[in-house]
Amino acid sequence: MTTPNTTNSQRAHSPLEVEVTASFDEWIGESSVYWSDKRDAWIVTGYAEAAKILKDSTTFWRDIPLRDGNVEFWGRHLLNLEGRDHRRMHSMHMKLTGETFAEDIRARANEICRQVSKRLVKQGRAELCANYANTVVFLIGCGFVGYDSTDESFLAELLVHMEVRAAWKEALHAGKGISLESKIAQNGIAALKAMEVMLMPIIRERRENPCDDLISKLWEKGPSVFPDWTEQDVLSTCWSSIDNETKPLLRGLLYALCRDPELQARLRNDPSRVTGFVEEGLRFLTPFRTLRRVVKKDVEIGGQTMRSGDFIYLITPLANTDEERWACPHQFDIEREQETTHFAFGYGQGYCVGRYVGRVEAAEAVKALLAETSTFGLDPEGAKPVWDGEMYHSVSPIHVILQE
């Protein structure tokens, strides 16, 4: 457990580790479970307590369905469901986009990342968040979902709308959420409507003429979840494939590489180490910083009595630095044997269905950029990178100089 009394010898020692650790200090309390008047919620930072909460879906569940605008944003989506409906939807996702699927898209993911990397290297300078991390995840997702990845103008317009949607997503899930009448939410609704006009013709065409893509498979398998499965369900289910946790994870990984030329060289010389680099990045950076839950019935956790209706913040990166489960947990060690399940993708019934695809996307993006460069580092003329974000916590911008 991390507390204010954690000794310096147990904590970070490299510049990256100092930055990342400092960004989580605001969540550290006197115990692993404590009440925050500021958040009007329980804060849970301990691994054992977080695991118990994440596993017990009958006592604790997501608070997303309680938020203003959640239906307009998500539709009939996995994140809005619970009980039997959630289990069925989760099972379908894992069958369609599980480990085998992720391996099947690996080669194409690397190809896409190499193409984008080559273009950026020719420019010599780039901002890796928007120009690389966000872009390659979007392009990989569009490819396997079944959106036309060869029409550059179509993809460019879609990406602009997705960025507007992403701003609403962050605001919707942070703190107590945001009003549906707010400017951010209204801009998001307009973006969703624009994208629906762009994407529905593709979705409808796949219903009549199936292809080897996710849209076609959703038309085939969706009715097993909901007999009244519709084109809107297909659209809602595809959102997370083109806008997901891989983006903030990849931004953090790329920033780590910018800060450490020796680490770049190690991974270039032995790309097989990238898998460990990504996994340690998931544990140490944990870009999905706060998992929110609502208490459904009175319960005791960590010596504290939680009442039905109370809200909980699970601070996953702090749970992922449990000293009883990881040696030197505040150190970023790509050679670490991950013998304990970290919570970067959640846990229990709400375990992220994109965890296999996300790992592949991040690994191939890192490998591709390393393969196309001899080195890259922060541009001293660029804006300073800043760690920020309550739900998705990562770093931006990352202005770099790239060398062939």
Side-chain angles (χ1 to χ4, degrees), residues 127-129 255 378 382-386 395-399:
E127 197 284 291
L128 290 183
C129 295
Y255 180 67
L378 294 175
K384 181 181 178 180
V386 176
V395 61
S396 68
I398 308 176
H399 291 279

Side-chain angles (χ1 to χ4, degrees), residues 55-321:
K55 284 193 291 186
D56 186 358
S57 60
T58 61
T59 306
F60 312 94
W61 196 235
R62 297 185 178 107
D63 70 343
I64 295 172
L66 305 177
R67 294 181 173 239
D68 189 23
N70 82 87
V71 174
E72 289 81 359
F73 184 87
W74 286 113
R76 193 159 59 173
H77 188 275
L78 187 65
L79 293 180
N80 258 344
L81 302 173
E82 61 180 305
R84 178 175 176 271
D85 288 342
H86 180 276
R87 289 192 296 272
R88 284 189 164 191
M89 181 71 90
H90 194 280
S91 177
M92 180 187 72
H93 269 280
M94 293 311 301
K95 290 176 181 177
L96 294 182
T97 60
E99 191 169 8
T100 299
F101 175 85
E103 288 304 317
D104 288 343
I105 69 167
R106 185 182 292 277
R108 178 56 181 156
N110 184 268
E111 182 182 347
I112 289 171
C113 295
R114 292 289 289 262
Q115 291 171 353
V116 176
S117 296
K118 288 178 186 292
R119 184 169 67 247
L120 297 181
V121 171
K122 286 183 179 179
Q123 296 173 4
R125 279 180 160 86
E127 197 284 291
L128 290 183
C129 295
N131 300 151
Y132 193 66
N134 295 0
T135 298
V136 297
V137 172
F138 170 76
L139 292 176
I140 293 167
C142 284
F144 69 70
V145 165
Y147 300 143
D148 188 355
S149 58
T150 62
D151 187 335
E152 292 187 4
S153 61
F154 173 89
L155 293 177
E157 181 180 354
L158 184 60
L159 183 56
V160 169
H161 293 311
M162 285 299 298
E163 292 298 330
V164 176
R165 177 185 178 276
W168 183 19
K169 181 181 180 182
E170 175 68 33
L172 175 66
H173 290 264
K176 293 183 179 295
I178 190 171
S179 168
L180 187 58
E181 302 305 316
S182 66
K183 182 174 177 57
I184 290 177
Q186 289 299 307
N187 287 344
I189 289 173
L192 287 177
K193 289 179 179 178
M195 288 190 288
E196 184 171 333
V197 171
M198 299 174 66
L199 300 176
M200 275 304 184
I202 300 173
I203 291 172
R204 292 167 184 153
E205 198 276 335
R206 292 295 192 282
R207 178 176 51 192
E208 304 303 323
N209 300 291
C211 297
D212 184 19
D213 56 33
L214 186 58
I215 294 174
S216 301
K217 293 173 183 175
L218 288 171
W219 274 121
E220 178 186 356
K221 302 297 184 182
S224 67
V225 180
F226 297 114
D228 60 342
W229 186 258
T230 68
E231 59 189 29
Q232 196 66 48
D233 292 318
V234 176
L235 179 63
S236 296
T237 305
C238 288
W239 287 132
S240 296
S241 295
I242 55 178
D243 178 32
N244 53 51
E245 291 82 354
T246 310
K247 295 194 303 184
L249 167 65
L250 187 51
R251 293 199 293 266
L253 294 173
L254 295 172
Y255 180 67
L257 291 172
C258 287
R259 297 294 301 271
D260 194 339
E262 291 183 4
L263 177 58
Q264 286 186 41
R266 287 169 63 194
L267 296 179
R268 280 192 186 89
N269 292 333
D270 185 1
S272 68
R273 287 179 165 175
V274 170
T275 298
F277 172 63
V278 170
E279 203 63 32
E280 178 67 345
L282 284 164
R283 183 200 68 85
F284 183 75
L285 301 173
T286 313
F288 206 150
R289 180 164 74 162
T290 58
L291 295 179
R292 292 290 302 270
R293 291 293 185 266
V294 62
V295 182
K296 301 173 70 174
K297 59 185 179 183
D298 292 0
V299 66
E300 183 175 303
I301 294 287
Q304 303 284 359
T305 299
M306 299 180 177
R307 304 296 183 186
S308 177
D310 285 353
F311 291 100
I312 304 172
Y313 282 79
L314 300 174
I315 313 305
T316 48
L318 291 180
N320 286 344
T321 56

